Amino acid sequence: MRVLDWIVFVVYLGYVIYLGARKGKGSRDTRDYFLANRTLPWWAIGLSVMATQASAITFIGTTGQAYVDGMRFVQFYFGLPVAMVILCATLVPFFYRANVYTAYEYLERRFDARTRLLASLLFLVSRGLALGVVIYAPSVVLSLILGWDMKLTILVMAVTATTYTVLGGIRAVIWTDVQQMLLIFVGMILCLLIMIWELPGDVTVIDALYLAGTTGRLRAIDFSLDVHNEFTFWSGLIAGSFLMLSYFGCDQSQVQRYLTGRSLRESRLSLIFNAFLKVPMQFFILLIGVMLFVFYHFEKPPLAFDQQGVQYIQTSAYRQQYRALHVEYDRLFEARQRAARAFIAARREGDRERLAEATATYQAMNARLEEIRRQSAQLISRASGKTYNDTNYIFPTFVIRYVPLGFVGLIISAIFAAAMSSIDSELNSLSTATVIDIYRRHLKPQADEHHYLLVSRIATALWGVIAALFALYAGALGSVIVAVNKIGSYFYGSLLGVFVLAIGVKRATGRGAFWGLLAGMASVYLASRLTEIAFLWFNILGCGVVVLVGYLLSLKR
Amino acid sequence: MALAYTSVAIRTAFGAMRTFMGSQSHDERPPLFRTWGQLYAAVLIFLFLIIVLLYLFTIAFDEVSA
């Protein structure tokens, strides 16, 4: 990054802290600090809901995934509009009218205190640990881009987000999320325009799309019924609906957003806003990744995008093999570029025979080039002793190498914005669950509002410190990160099951809900150990077991 | 087991439907539509159209299967 980019970046960080402090000034009680006195408009909540879901790794990882794997990931979001409709018709009115601070507070009113405590603790443990990963994962990539020590990147991200969240509470979180989401939109549009601009003059966008289509990267829909396949139409629509129901209906980091609506209408509209926008937005992000794939036909990409891996191999016994792969890679890159140009020319001429021949040649070249990349990743894995995956480095590499002066700062700011808009919401919701469900309910029920407000700010700061510490040491924990990511899938579907019991099963009791929840999580754990089912289906399993066990136990009074 | 599961699923669905019907009566109207039900239908129709468009997009550029 050059001076102008640094100026843009520093101005962005300063502005976010200023905005957060200004918007959240004057919080006098926990209702204002956690619910903004229920005064916010639907569009601000809607953008905050979107910003909370889209972390930095979604932004850089999704583009990288489209580069490698194409558009099929878009199917993952097909369940979202369905879930939003169901939530608007069921859970949202319940939460809003119950006048609760947390989703779990409602469980005590319907069942008992222990079910609320269990649900809240599950949220705190899984979200608290996951927040460390939300900070750590983009820090790895961003520190390489910025040339910073990773600890510094983690600290800048965590300290900035924690500062304005402590100062301003949810009002600061939502209004900064609005600005940050707008910055993310600008960053995305800018990237796509730059990519199209940087294509050779004789290659149009339509040519680029046909080229990507030839490799199967534009296959957005897959109707196969394979339950082991992660991204199909059916897994996205059916299992994805359950995941989205769980995430938007039972995860405090999302529920708290729509509890701030100035009326039930505003809360519902904030979710409907996401129902309309989310799938097109994901399509757009994936399209950036696909266009990047085409862009790198005419500008040579590195053989391995994560340069740290390359450093490993340069000092290892595999360096000769890697050098030989690189020579082959250089040759194939030129050959693929010629084949791509031949394909474009044949398509324009409309000669079917020539087109078929050009398509076959291009596909063969592309497959060989991808095989070289796969072999290079294997070599680096062997040299470093760690699994090598450079998907998250593809998009940032483009930003650093090809984006013009000033815009790099803007796009890096957009990536930071994506990270911080998730971190702030999670900090705020962790603090809410800690203070409302644990501290005020079980530890100190009779204190005044001034005291609770102070404790809320301290809890936010403490969660910021815990998340930063976890992120700082996450690299050394290795498999723990994988485990943390899995915790969410164990608990989401089961938690949804408890809320289904609460609202849909009239005779469900506290005993049924409590033991049903534990049974649901145990069943998902067993399924993940004993079967190869794709993780999206776990949510249906967990929800189903909770409802069934909860119902049966509720029959025995 | 399957029978019990089906029974619970049907009861749950009816419970949710009761909730849904109950929640319609007291609320302010949504923008552009008369009822929330109409707005929800619009969301689902929009999703259907997006899926159709994505399918057309898939087959339009899919030179592999062509």
Side-chain angles (χ1 to χ4, degrees), chain B residues 30-65:
Chain B
L32 306 175
F33 295 89
R34 283 188 190 170
T35 63
W36 285 97
Q38 286 179 357
L39 180 56
Y40 301 153
V43 169
L44 298 178
I45 291 167
F46 180 75
L47 173 65
F48 175 75
L49 289 176
I50 288 274
I51 291 171
V52 169
L53 283 175
L54 285 174
Y55 180 69
L56 293 175
F57 180 79
T58 299
I59 53 173
F61 292 105
D62 198 348
E63 292 287 329
V64 181
S65 54

Side-chain angles (χ1 to χ4, degrees), chain A residues 123-295:
Chain A
F123 166 74
L124 288 172
V125 171
S126 62
R127 265 285 156 226
L129 293 177
L131 180 55
V133 179
V134 168
I135 299 173
Y136 169 75
S139 299
V140 179
V141 181
L142 285 167
S143 56
L144 280 178
I145 296 170
L146 298 168
W148 287 0
D149 182 68
M150 203 174 75
K151 287 175 182 162
L152 180 64
T153 315
I154 288 172
L155 287 176
V156 168
M157 216 180 268
V159 169
T160 311
T162 307
T163 303
Y164 70 74
T165 311
V166 168
L167 290 174
I170 195 147
R171 210 185 288 274
V173 169
I174 288 185
W175 288 113
T176 51
D177 282 1
V178 168
Q179 304 283 339
Q180 300 197 91
M181 199 62 225
L182 294 176
L183 181 62
I184 294 167
F185 280 138
V186 170
M188 286 189 317
I189 293 168
L190 204 64
C191 281
L192 188 66
L193 291 177
I194 291 167
M195 257 169 230
I196 292 170
W197 180 261
E198 299 260 350
L199 282 174
D202 58 338
V203 179
T204 66
V205 175
I206 298 295
D207 292 334
L209 288 174
Y210 273 107
L211 204 56
T214 306
T215 65
R217 278 180 172 74
L218 296 186
R219 277 187 208 150
I221 307 278
D222 175 1
F223 286 112
S224 75
L225 293 166
D226 182 6
V227 290
H228 302 111
N229 190 344
E230 274 183 328
F231 308 119
T232 65
F233 172 79
W234 303 110
S235 71
L237 192 66
I238 302 168
S241 294
F242 275 77
L243 174 68
M244 299 301 171
L245 276 172
S246 312
Y247 177 56
F248 289 99
C250 313
D251 190 310
Q252 179 64 18
S253 65
Q254 284 295 1
V255 173
Q256 197 167 346
R257 255 107 290 287
Y258 54 79
L259 289 178
T260 61
R262 61 166 76 116
S263 66
L264 176 57
R265 178 180 183 270
E266 303 290 307
S267 297
R268 279 175 164 160
L269 286 177
S270 68
L271 294 187
I272 294 296
F273 173 76
N274 277 269
F276 277 115
L277 275 191
K278 190 69 191 183
V279 178
M281 188 184 112
Q282 285 302 322
F283 173 81
F284 189 77
I285 296 177
L286 288 164
L287 190 64
I288 293 173
V290 168
M291 291 306 289
L292 189 55
F293 167 75
V294 178
F295 169 82

